[in-house]
């Protein structure tokens, strides 16, 4: 009698009840690993597994090479920097993500962080909790987004949604830096392309990061880029923490070289109040900190679960898996994949 196919899902704290229930109803053996599971534990479970579902867990080459039955890796989310994709390609194991499920959701999160910073939500809420009221003194004087200049570092799916919300909703002037997107495509999204990152940063009242993390973008916003920003400008990052040089960001905030920051992502997660390189940010009134949850709402998770299952069954049934991402690391795959047609980056 043939044993049922085995699926391993990491990061079980991110609940996926529809995915888990459906896989089990289809007769598959499902193993859930917690966020804290070691690489050795993952390698042991993948030794006889047919499919890996992962979100945050690192999947190095030795784990992939030690999984002889593995038919595919599904990232239930967007970022793929934790997977050794080169190792998967060598084995002919397709890797796929789910890039579209939270485009507007994360864009709304970025806009919420911008508003929270501009309107001083954090210090006002602290004052209300401590004293019950706040009188209109200079300490609480807030600002508008309307009419200000927004700079996008990365003008992909989420960046374009931010551009629409900011431009049409708040009448913001939107600039964009992205070497992989042409001026015509940006103009169609209401964004004016700027080829030099520091030149763009110097013009902005708000900077919002929407790049993928790879070797090209790691610490893309570093000491010199932060120094190019206006002292009155704010930085928002809902993409990946390591795109920003976080040590340089802490120094810039402590020295008052920029006005504030709104962060949902960190190079080292989870964030902590003690013993973390960014722990000092918790005490800053001009810094909004979220726990990597801009994607986390009911509508987005429903979309995520449905598409994750579609990708799972394509792989398990031996069909080419649909790659919707434009990331060149995924587009370079040749085995077991088919590609969605994207509009050209003119």
């Amino acid at each position: 009698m043939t044993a049922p196919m085995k699926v391993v899902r990491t990061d079980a704290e991110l609940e996926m009840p529809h995915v888990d229930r459906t896989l089990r109803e289809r007769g598959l053996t499902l193993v859930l690993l917690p966020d804290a599971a070691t690489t050795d534990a993952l390698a042991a479970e993948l030794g006889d597994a047919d499919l890996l579902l992962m979100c945050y867990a690192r999947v190095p080459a030795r784990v992939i090479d030690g999984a002889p039955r593995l038919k595919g890796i599904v990232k239930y989310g967007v970022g793929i920097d934790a997977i050794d994709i080169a190792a998967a390609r060598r084995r002919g194991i397709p890797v796929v993500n789910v890039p579209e499920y939270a485009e507007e959701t994360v864009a709304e999160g970025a806009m919420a962080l911008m508003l929270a910073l501009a309107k001083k939500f954090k210090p006002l809420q602290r004052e209300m909790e401590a004293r019950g009221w706040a009188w209109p003194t200079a300490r609480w004087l807030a600002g508008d987004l309307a009419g200000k200049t927004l700079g996008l570092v990365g003008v992909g799916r989420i960046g374009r949604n931010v551009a629409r919300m900011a431009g049409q909703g708040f009448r913001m002037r939107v600039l964009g830096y992205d070497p992989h997107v042409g001026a015509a495509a940006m103009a169609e999204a209401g964004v004016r392309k700027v080829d030099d990152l520091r030149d763009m940063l110097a013009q902005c009242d708000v900077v919002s990061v929407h790049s993928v993390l790879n070797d090209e973008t790691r610490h893309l916003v570093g000491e010199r880029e932060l120094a190019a920003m206006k002292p009155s400008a704010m930085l928002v990052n809902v993409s990946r923490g390591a795109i920003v040089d976080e040590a340089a960001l802490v120094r810039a905030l402590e020295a008052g070289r920029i006005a504030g920051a709104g962060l949902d992502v960190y190079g080292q997660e989870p964030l902590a109040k003690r013993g973390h390189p960014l722990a000092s940010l918790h005490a800053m009134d001009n810094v909004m900190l979220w726990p990597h949850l801009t994607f986390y709402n009911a509508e987005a998770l429903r979309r995520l679960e449905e598409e994750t299952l579609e990708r799972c069954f394509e792989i398990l049934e031996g069909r080419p898996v649909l790659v919707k991402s434009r990331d060149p690391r995924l587009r370079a795959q040749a085995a077991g994949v088919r590609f969605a047609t994207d509009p050209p980056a003119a």
Side-chain angles (χ1 to χ4, degrees), residues 105-247:
T105 303
V106 175
E108 286 186 10
M111 294 303 305
L113 284 169
M114 292 180 210
L115 282 166
L117 291 169
K119 305 304 180 184
K120 297 184 181 289
F121 280 8
K122 183 176 178 179
L124 276 168
Q125 184 62 36
R126 284 177 166 174
E127 185 75 358
M128 292 295 288
E129 289 172 352
R131 302 181 186 279
W133 194 249
W135 294 100
T137 59
R139 180 184 176 190
W140 311 119
L141 192 63
D144 286 339
L145 294 181
K148 300 289 177 61
T149 297
L150 168 65
L152 301 175
V153 181
V155 191
R157 290 183 171 97
I158 295 172
R160 294 180 198 205
N161 274 292
V162 172
R164 174 177 54 80
M165 294 173 189
Q168 297 180 24
F170 290 90
R171 297 186 296 100
M172 298 185 82
R173 171 183 176 238
V174 185
L175 309 178
Y177 171 81
D178 191 325
H180 306 290
V181 180
M186 285 200 196
E188 189 176 339
V191 181
R192 183 169 75 81
K193 182 177 175 68
V194 181
D195 291 320
D196 184 271
L197 176 57
R198 279 178 238 160
D199 178 48
M200 183 190 79
L201 295 174
Q203 302 178 56
C204 296
D205 301 295
V206 184
V207 175
S208 194
V209 178
H210 300 286
S211 298
V212 297
L213 177 62
N214 54 34
D215 292 340
E216 176 186 349
T217 62
R218 187 175 298 275
H219 287 190
L220 178 63
V221 180
E223 194 92 48
R224 290 183 294 179
E225 288 72 29
L226 291 165
M229 292 173 61
K230 301 176 184 178
S232 58
M234 304 175 296
L235 175 74
V236 169
N237 188 4
V238 297
S239 185
R240 284 295 182 270
I243 296 169
V244 177
D245 182 338
E246 293 172 311

Side-chain angles (χ1 to χ4, degrees), residues 233-283:
M234 304 175 296
L235 175 74
V236 169
N237 188 4
V238 297
S239 185
R240 284 295 182 270
I243 296 169
V244 177
D245 182 338
E246 293 172 311
L249 176 61
V250 171
R251 290 193 293 270
L253 288 164
E254 290 175 341
R257 293 199 299 271
I258 65 172
L263 307 175
D264 183 50
V265 289
Y266 313 92
Q268 177 182 320
E269 295 183 357
L271 194 61
K273 285 194 167 186
R274 295 177 183 83
H276 191 284
L278 302 180
S280 63
L281 298 183
H282 282 282

Side-chain angles (χ1 to χ4, degrees), residues 74-88:
V74 177
K75 161 65 186 269
Y76 55 100
V78 182
I80 55 172
D81 42 287
I83 307 168
D84 191 325
I85 296 172

